[in-house]
Amino acid sequence: MSGGSSKPCINFARGNCRYGDKCKFTHEPKTTTATTSNVPHKEPCPYLGTPKGCFKGQRCKYSHESTASSTNVQSPQSSTRSRPRTELETGFREWTFLIPRQNARFQSRELGSFFRLGWELISKDPTETGQQIIKKLATEEGLAMIRALTDEPDESAKLQTRLSNFKDKMLPFFRTISHPDVLSSLILETPLDTICTFLFGPHGRRAIRLFSSTASALGSLALDETAGDQELTSVAVTASLAVLERLVELNQGAQVIDEFTSIVSELSTTIPEELLQGGSRSLARLRQRLGVGTAIPLSEDRPKKQNTYRPVFEVGQDLPGALSGLGPRHDNDHANIFNIKILPTTEEIQSTRVEYLPSNDPTKHHLPGLAGLLDRQFRLLREDTVGQLRDAVQIEFRQLEKATDTQPRVKQQNNSARNIIYQNVSLLRLEFDRKKGLQIIAEFDQPTLLKRKGAYEREEWWKNSKRLQVDGFLCLVSSTGKVIFFSVCDPAPTPPPKDKNGDERKDQLASYWKAFNERPNLSKHAKRATVMLTLVEENPEDITWINSHLGKARELRQSLVEFPGILLPSFQPTLQALQKMSRTLDLPFSSYIAPNIQSAAYIDIPVPAYSRRPGFAFNLKTLAGGEQLRLTPGQPFDDTTLREKSRLDDAQRISLVNALSSSIALIQGPPGTGKSYTGVAIIKTLLENRIEAKLGPIICVCYTNHALDQLLEHLVKDGVEQLIRLGSRSKSELLQDLTLQNISKQFRATREESHQKHELYESLDIVLDEIAELMPGLRNPNHWSNVKEYLETHQTFHFRQLFGRDVDENGFREVKGKKYNILNSWIKGAPKRITSTRTVPELIDINLQDMSGVERSALHNHWIQESVMELNRRLLHLLDSYRHSRDSLKKCHQELDLRCLLSAHVIGVTTTGLARNLDVLRRVRAKVVVMEEAGEVLEAHTLTALLPSVEHAILIGDHEQLRPQINNYEFQSDNPRGAKFSLDISLFERLIHPQPGYLKLPYSSLEVQRRMHPSIAQLVRSTLYPKLQDDSSVSTYPEVDGMRRRLFWLDHNNREDASSEDLTQSLSKTNSWEVEMVAALVSHLVRQGVYRNEDIAVLTPYLGQLQKLKHCLRSSFAIVVGDRDLQDLEAKGLENDNSEGPTTITGGVRKTTLLNAIRIATVDNFQGEEAKVIIISLVRSNDERRCGFLKTSNRINVLLSRARHGMYVIGDSHTARHVPMWDQVITILENEGNLGQALALCCPRHKETPIEVSEPDDFSTLSPEGGCNRKCTSRLRLPAEPLLNVATTANNFAKIAIREKKMVIFLRSTTASAKPPAVGNITLVVTLVRKHAMEKSLVDFAWSRAKCDAVTRVAARNATSLASLALKTAHGHVRTVAHVNCRAQCLATSFHVRSAACRYSVVVISVPPSVERGAQRPNTVRSAPVSRSRI
């Protein structure tokens, strides 16, 4: 009998334990002892007394003890039920009793009652009771009932009899299995598929017979005037079509069975259109799946075809896969994209043939219509993302092939993707984590520059380099030709789970701490680094290869190629979604997006399908100030009331009406015209009508997390409720409680879900225990126990000879008091007289003692190989079980998330998040999708956002601004070679400006901008938006403080910096002169004292320039850099500021919240943003007149349309002028006198003083401290509100500083070194701040630069708050009097010694003798008059 554990074996209870007596779990049934007083009372099983009994057996959570045996141990509460049955529980119990016994005859009356009661129960509770009913129907008993139902129809019966049978029996069954909550459920997917597969029957015969009868009944009901109930007929049509759609979708063979086409055609022709409204989507999918096409409605009053002529020179194209005349290129080259693996295979990497890349001409695709569009988007997007990885790995693979031990590696240069190579890689061993799965520990050479550094320096370098971070993407390349993709895994093991009592399991705790202490470390050893990896895609071939190559570093040449900044989740979900869509072809609006006809016709967009219901009209009272106003889509609409009552302008109002009246609506919004405002108005209108239109949740999609947060914040502030945000990247505090992760905690799992999770966790524990027993053998394949286990199972003859008797647990046998290893003794103990060399097959039946030494070694190696193969087979089997359990558990958790989403009114998600959660969102049954930034979203992302259930899509964007970002320049539309691909053209732009062969859709445009001053707006109005109008409010903007002009181009000819030898630096461009000029101008503007953190922004097209600006501006200001720019910097290896201290200050205050911060960003990451003053660094200045990024009108448009009050461009006009749009802009500026080589400044006090600067140093000489160089004795008067804000913030930072003991130590060290001369009764401490003292203090006390900057910036505006700050942070009671100037006092008092050491020397700090003697601290702080002109 099995033993070793008191835990019962679940597989034995199910009757399928394959371990028998070797199982470590008990095979004895659970027993209860009447004498045990603490045995928990179990409620008796309600099914035990039924004729069929309880089907769960020992797994049942209720008691199966008889009443007689339980009376002696009955608890006081056992005589009555712990709680009464609910009505639904009683109903479900009665429903199960209607299932006849085995071999009993079915009564027609009982059959009808069975399905009617099932529908009544599921209509009342589709969640918990619905799960129980569907799972019961998928059992053998339930399928028997379905068979009786489907076999009953008799075509010879009278019409009324057939109609009665259909309504009483078949219709309740169809409604039961087509209930929306049932169709969308994740955990019911398998049982529902079982039911549908059974309904389909062998070769579809059962489904043909069933739906032929159903089609006849539906046609009769539709024509029968006596039926009376038109609504019931409509419901019957909808349910029947939903079931038929599920059958055809599940069984691909239905597409080649003509009878199904006939059934669909009959349903289309015999049922009136008004009865098909609810099932129109199912009917359309059936027609599409079965090849019954529909034509596109062309407008009669517009030309149906436009003949376009273009010069064509066709080059023969090598088609994909088997369609190629030369055959497939490699094992991952297929004509069907569904069969293509996302990551490149080894053959694909080694292939020299060019991949098949379809152009944007649909006539050249190997697939027509929607299938061709999805094929094109998949292949181009995959090549744009995976192609660069493939090329980088291919280069490294060739390096390994050429390299030898004596031949050094050639340094590669690869500009397609930044990658890092780690050499001499060895795979050490396998590990397994209960949450992370299979893991591999890899070892490689430390980088050359670390080999002479200490452990601490190595640790700091790895931390600051941001290499091999968790979730980093990398690839193992072996000289054997094997390529495997990995991701970096957290090396810390998962703590073991606790038992039912909450105690840690001691048997697992020891192994946990052992794994924790032995976890890999990048910096521990001087020569070799170790890292924990996990497979990106677990396939048996890779796992088998890894097992067979563990520890074989000397025999192989292997490298790890890391791809910093490339995240697999950013493109893999979208590619997988496109693959699924290629099979289902269920994209809504496909007849407009991917028409089968090749013409450029204008079409009329129909109204949304949900609005076609008779009597439906949109209620617009939320826009009309509460006054009743209704809009009937497709009918004329008088917008007088809306114009008078709403706050929308004319273009916004027209766009809103058109958006509500079109099933697919496009709204173009130039910069500052209120795209988001219009989008919020549309969403609020839809929410007002969601119940009447049965919309379900409205899905709001944005390209970036920042834009999504802004949109959802607007909705929340406008009173929108039931809003959920998907994803964990939200920075908004307002939305933190509205994330799906937090809201799902408020929902309770059903009993069916809880029971299923309990079973899954138990089976998962068994699998994990079995894997834990297997891992030691895999880690040490040569261990004698592996050989013993293999021989015991497969070669009993040799097992008895070798391990038959007297062998202890360590593989030793004792002879005459001496122990020896039985296996090693046999291998080395061969008689010298035996010299035979028989093969391994010949040795199978030979006595072990009759073998030579060579034969024994060969046989032993054979045993090891076979045992490793056996262990590997068992591991693969267990990994399959592990993945199945994990996937099933994931579905259980997703089922809870699904119920959360179904209860929401608005769901916010990014394009990437939508693709990642596509399985859940497809089940939400959303009818409306609103996408912002649609012009910046790749077409592939937009296609995945159009869920099958969508009936209304609203795309808002501007195709004249930034296009989607892609990696491969060969696919860009502005590249002559990439124009035939144009991957960077969004679906939004393609529908407005269609390419040849596609349709042009109508769109609305917003026309009134409320952002830019008219002089700034003129730059984009004259070039791109001739209809753009200015709102009256923008004409009242104030002038820019400290400047003569609000708009100016500072022209120069200072050349851009030469390319750096460092590959990471050479990928970008810089201009040092412009960096210094921008820094001086920013400093001048900030010194005016009127601009806050969101008011000034510095834009540049290059990440290299952004990095230089960051370093330069940080000395005076704390810079706010956007998340997307930080990610881009890290991806390019340009972000390495760890030497400057952390970005978070004690107390949870971050740099980005400081008062005097400015915003700095690249152009591409500033779309949708704005600032009062924009400073632009164009960077490029060269003799070749190369503009780089800024040669496209889209980027120029974004660059010139961000400023509200003022904009200052610093660049070389000669380099930019050859670009058409730049030429127009420069001409406009020249005509207005806004371009020159000197920038005019303005002193706030002496406005008549002329100041012109043309070099960075001119600011310090001509405009010191932001004013002019004239003497001024006027006292500075600071505004009350800014002064209060500064003082409050300064006090907050003072509280932080008090807790910092290091600051006190620093102050003591600087004051103690000074010599205090006595002047009268007052002790004057004159502190000379020297550079070497400052550096020593920073090193000794590691004073955070971030904290220093924080205090400086908070107190930089007035001396009074600084003095207050000093009183709270300095050692002793001090009073500060400025005898030099305000800036010296600010810098010195706030301990900003780095800047003070270079520019200022003496600060006078006065301490009265009364204070030294313990007198009362002074309450006032006096400040010397300060000149406004010198601030």
Side-chain angles (χ1 to χ4, degrees), residues 288 367-376 581-582 584-588 590-591 593-596 943:
Q288 183 184 49
L367 293 172
L370 177 60
L373 175 67
L374 295 174
D375 179 272
R376 173 179 175 272
M581 293 168 65
S582 70
T584 58
L585 295 177
D586 54 0
L587 180 75
S590 59
S591 56
I593 296 174
N596 285 319
L943 294 178

Short mmCIF file of all heavy atoms in Angstrom, two decimals, residues 288 367-376 581-582 584-588 590-591 593-596 943:
data_model
loop_
_atom_site.label_atom_id
_atom_site.label_comp_id
_atom_site.label_asym_id
_atom_site.label_seq_id
_atom_site.Cartn_x
_atom_site.Cartn_y
_atom_site.Cartn_z
N GLN A 288 -20.20 35.37 -43.95
CA GLN A 288 -18.78 35.56 -44.24
C GLN A 288 -18.02 34.25 -44.12
O GLN A 288 -17.19 33.92 -44.98
CB GLN A 288 -18.20 36.60 -43.29
CG GLN A 288 -16.74 36.94 -43.55
CD GLN A 288 -16.18 37.91 -42.52
OE1 GLN A 288 -16.35 37.69 -41.33
NE2 GLN A 288 -15.55 38.98 -42.98
N LEU A 367 -3.78 37.01 -50.83
CA LEU A 367 -5.10 36.78 -50.24
C LEU A 367 -5.96 38.00 -50.49
O LEU A 367 -5.47 39.14 -50.44
CB LEU A 367 -4.98 36.52 -48.73
CG LEU A 367 -4.27 35.23 -48.31
CD1 LEU A 367 -4.06 35.21 -46.80
CD2 LEU A 367 -5.06 34.00 -48.73
N PRO A 368 -7.26 37.83 -50.71
CA PRO A 368 -8.12 38.98 -51.00
C PRO A 368 -8.71 39.59 -49.73
O PRO A 368 -8.77 38.95 -48.68
CB PRO A 368 -9.23 38.37 -51.87
CG PRO A 368 -9.35 36.97 -51.34
CD PRO A 368 -7.98 36.55 -50.91
N GLY A 369 -9.18 40.82 -49.86
CA GLY A 369 -9.99 41.46 -48.84
C GLY A 369 -9.37 41.51 -47.47
O GLY A 369 -8.19 41.82 -47.29
N LEU A 370 -10.19 41.17 -46.45
CA LEU A 370 -9.76 41.25 -45.06
C LEU A 370 -8.61 40.31 -44.77
O LEU A 370 -7.68 40.68 -44.04
CB LEU A 370 -10.95 40.96 -44.14
CG LEU A 370 -10.66 40.94 -42.64
CD1 LEU A 370 -10.12 42.28 -42.18
CD2 LEU A 370 -11.91 40.56 -41.86
N ALA A 371 -8.65 39.12 -45.31
CA ALA A 371 -7.55 38.17 -45.07
C ALA A 371 -6.23 38.73 -45.56
O ALA A 371 -5.19 38.59 -44.91
CB ALA A 371 -7.86 36.84 -45.74
N GLY A 372 -6.26 39.40 -46.73
CA GLY A 372 -5.04 40.00 -47.25
C GLY A 372 -4.55 41.16 -46.40
O GLY A 372 -3.34 41.33 -46.20
N LEU A 373 -5.48 41.97 -45.87
CA LEU A 373 -5.10 43.09 -45.01
C LEU A 373 -4.44 42.60 -43.73
O LEU A 373 -3.40 43.12 -43.31
CB LEU A 373 -6.33 43.94 -44.68
CG LEU A 373 -6.10 45.09 -43.70
CD1 LEU A 373 -5.19 46.14 -44.31
CD2 LEU A 373 -7.43 45.72 -43.28
N LEU A 374 -5.05 41.60 -43.07
CA LEU A 374 -4.48 41.07 -41.84
C LEU A 374 -3.12 40.42 -42.11
O LEU A 374 -2.19 40.54 -41.29
CB LEU A 374 -5.44 40.05 -41.23
CG LEU A 374 -6.80 40.60 -40.75
CD1 LEU A 374 -7.71 39.47 -40.31
CD2 LEU A 374 -6.61 41.60 -39.63
N ASP A 375 -2.99 39.73 -43.23
CA ASP A 375 -1.72 39.11 -43.59
C ASP A 375 -0.64 40.17 -43.75
O ASP A 375 0.49 40.02 -43.25
CB ASP A 375 -1.90 38.33 -44.89
CG ASP A 375 -0.62 37.67 -45.36
OD1 ASP A 375 0.16 38.33 -46.09
OD2 ASP A 375 -0.39 36.51 -45.00
N ARG A 376 -0.97 41.26 -44.43
CA ARG A 376 0.01 42.32 -44.66
C ARG A 376 0.42 42.98 -43.35
O ARG A 376 1.62 43.20 -43.09
CB ARG A 376 -0.58 43.36 -45.61
CG ARG A 376 0.28 44.60 -45.79
CD ARG A 376 -0.33 45.59 -46.76
NE ARG A 376 0.44 46.81 -46.82
CZ ARG A 376 0.24 47.85 -46.01
NH1 ARG A 376 -0.73 47.81 -45.10
NH2 ARG A 376 1.00 48.92 -46.10
N MET A 581 -7.41 36.73 -35.55
CA MET A 581 -8.37 37.39 -36.43
C MET A 581 -8.30 36.81 -37.85
O MET A 581 -9.31 36.78 -38.57
CB MET A 581 -8.11 38.89 -36.46
CG MET A 581 -8.40 39.59 -35.13
SD MET A 581 -7.76 41.28 -35.08
CE MET A 581 -8.77 42.05 -36.34
N SER A 582 -7.13 36.34 -38.27
CA SER A 582 -7.00 35.76 -39.60
C SER A 582 -7.78 34.47 -39.73
O SER A 582 -8.13 34.06 -40.85
CB SER A 582 -5.52 35.52 -39.93
OG SER A 582 -4.99 34.46 -39.15
N THR A 584 -10.71 33.81 -37.69
CA THR A 584 -12.13 34.08 -37.49
C THR A 584 -12.69 35.07 -38.50
O THR A 584 -13.88 35.03 -38.82
CB THR A 584 -12.36 34.62 -36.07
OG1 THR A 584 -11.58 35.82 -35.88
CG2 THR A 584 -11.92 33.59 -35.03
N LEU A 585 -11.84 36.00 -38.98
CA LEU A 585 -12.27 37.04 -39.93
C LEU A 585 -13.53 37.75 -39.42
O LEU A 585 -14.49 37.96 -40.16
CB LEU A 585 -12.52 36.43 -41.31
CG LEU A 585 -11.30 35.84 -42.03
CD1 LEU A 585 -11.71 35.21 -43.34
CD2 LEU A 585 -10.21 36.89 -42.23
N ASP A 586 -13.52 38.08 -38.14
CA ASP A 586 -14.70 38.68 -37.51
C ASP A 586 -14.51 40.17 -37.24
O ASP A 586 -15.05 40.71 -36.27
CB ASP A 586 -15.03 37.95 -36.21
CG ASP A 586 -13.86 37.87 -35.24
OD1 ASP A 586 -12.77 38.39 -35.59
OD2 ASP A 586 -14.01 37.29 -34.16
N LEU A 587 -13.74 40.84 -38.07
CA LEU A 587 -13.51 42.28 -37.89
C LEU A 587 -14.75 43.05 -38.32
O LEU A 587 -15.22 42.90 -39.46
CB LEU A 587 -12.31 42.72 -38.73
CG LEU A 587 -11.96 44.21 -38.64
CD1 LEU A 587 -11.29 44.51 -37.30
CD2 LEU A 587 -11.03 44.62 -39.79
N PRO A 588 -15.31 43.88 -37.45
CA PRO A 588 -16.45 44.70 -37.88
C PRO A 588 -16.02 45.76 -38.89
O PRO A 588 -14.85 46.16 -38.94
CB PRO A 588 -16.93 45.35 -36.57
CG PRO A 588 -15.75 45.33 -35.67
CD PRO A 588 -14.96 44.11 -36.04
N SER A 590 -15.51 45.45 -41.91
CA SER A 590 -14.49 44.95 -42.84
C SER A 590 -14.80 45.35 -44.28
O SER A 590 -13.89 45.49 -45.09
CB SER A 590 -14.36 43.44 -42.72
OG SER A 590 -15.60 42.81 -43.00
N SER A 591 -16.08 45.53 -44.61
CA SER A 591 -16.43 45.90 -45.98
C SER A 591 -15.96 47.31 -46.32
O SER A 591 -15.83 47.66 -47.50
CB SER A 591 -17.94 45.80 -46.19
OG SER A 591 -18.63 46.60 -45.24
N ILE A 593 -13.17 48.77 -44.39
CA ILE A 593 -11.74 48.81 -44.08
C ILE A 593 -10.94 48.01 -45.09
O ILE A 593 -9.84 48.41 -45.49
CB ILE A 593 -11.50 48.29 -42.65
CG1 ILE A 593 -12.16 49.22 -41.63
CG2 ILE A 593 -10.01 48.16 -42.36
CD1 ILE A 593 -12.10 48.71 -40.22
N ALA A 594 -11.47 46.88 -45.51
CA ALA A 594 -10.77 46.01 -46.45
C ALA A 594 -11.75 45.51 -47.50
O ALA A 594 -12.16 44.34 -47.47
CB ALA A 594 -10.11 44.85 -45.72
N PRO A 595 -12.16 46.35 -48.42
CA PRO A 595 -13.16 45.92 -49.42
C PRO A 595 -12.57 44.92 -50.40
O PRO A 595 -11.38 44.91 -50.67
CB PRO A 595 -13.53 47.23 -50.11
CG PRO A 595 -12.32 48.09 -49.97
CD PRO A 595 -11.73 47.73 -48.63
N ASN A 596 -13.45 44.07 -50.91
CA ASN A 596 -13.02 43.10 -51.91
C ASN A 596 -12.93 43.71 -53.30
O ASN A 596 -12.30 43.17 -54.19
CB ASN A 596 -13.97 41.91 -51.95
CG ASN A 596 -13.76 40.99 -50.75
OD1 ASN A 596 -12.63 40.73 -50.37
ND2 ASN A 596 -14.84 40.52 -50.16
N LEU A 943 -6.84 47.77 -35.60
CA LEU A 943 -7.64 46.60 -36.00
C LEU A 943 -7.94 45.70 -34.81
O LEU A 943 -9.06 45.18 -34.69
CB LEU A 943 -6.90 45.82 -37.09
CG LEU A 943 -6.71 46.53 -38.43
CD1 LEU A 943 -5.91 45.65 -39.38
CD2 LEU A 943 -8.04 46.90 -39.04
#
